[in-house]
Amino acid sequence: MRRSIVVAVATVAFLLGGAANQAHAERQPRMRDALAHLESALSDLRAASGDKGGHRAQAIRLTEQAITSVREGIQFDNRH
């Protein structure tokens, strides 16, 4: 009987520990990955040479807007 109680307590502790680790896991990993890719793309666009007929500047603006939208989406989801 004592052994079954020890096993039950150990099982509950294991399950609670797993839940705690999951709660501390990085939130929204896909959104954060997308944000990192957008930031990298923005860096590449800024480093590119030439105007490309205005397309480079437009791509920079749109990428900045996308970064802002992703950040706002992350913040929104974290609050709700």
Side-chain angles (χ1 to χ4, degrees):
M1 170 121 166
R2 179 170 165 79
R3 182 181 170 124
S4 61
I5 292 173
V6 170
V7 170
V9 169
T11 302
V12 170
F14 176 77
L15 292 174
L16 289 176
N21 285 342
Q22 203 170 33
H24 292 293
E26 182 181 359
R27 297 188 66 167
Q28 305 178 54
R30 303 240 179 190
M31 291 289 280
R32 296 211 178 267
D33 286 348
L35 183 58
H37 289 293
L38 286 166
E39 289 170 340
S40 177
L42 181 59
S43 177
D44 290 342
L45 286 166
R46 287 180 174 158
S49 61
D51 182 43
K52 319 289 191 232
H55 294 286
R56 181 176 151 266
Q58 181 182 12
I60 288 171
R61 282 191 304 276
L62 292 171
T63 304
E64 289 170 339
Q65 289 175 5
I67 288 170
T68 298
S69 292
V70 171
R71 286 182 179 150
E72 288 172 353
I74 290 169
Q75 289 174 356
F76 177 86
D77 197 57
N78 286 341
R79 287 190 307 259
H80 295 92

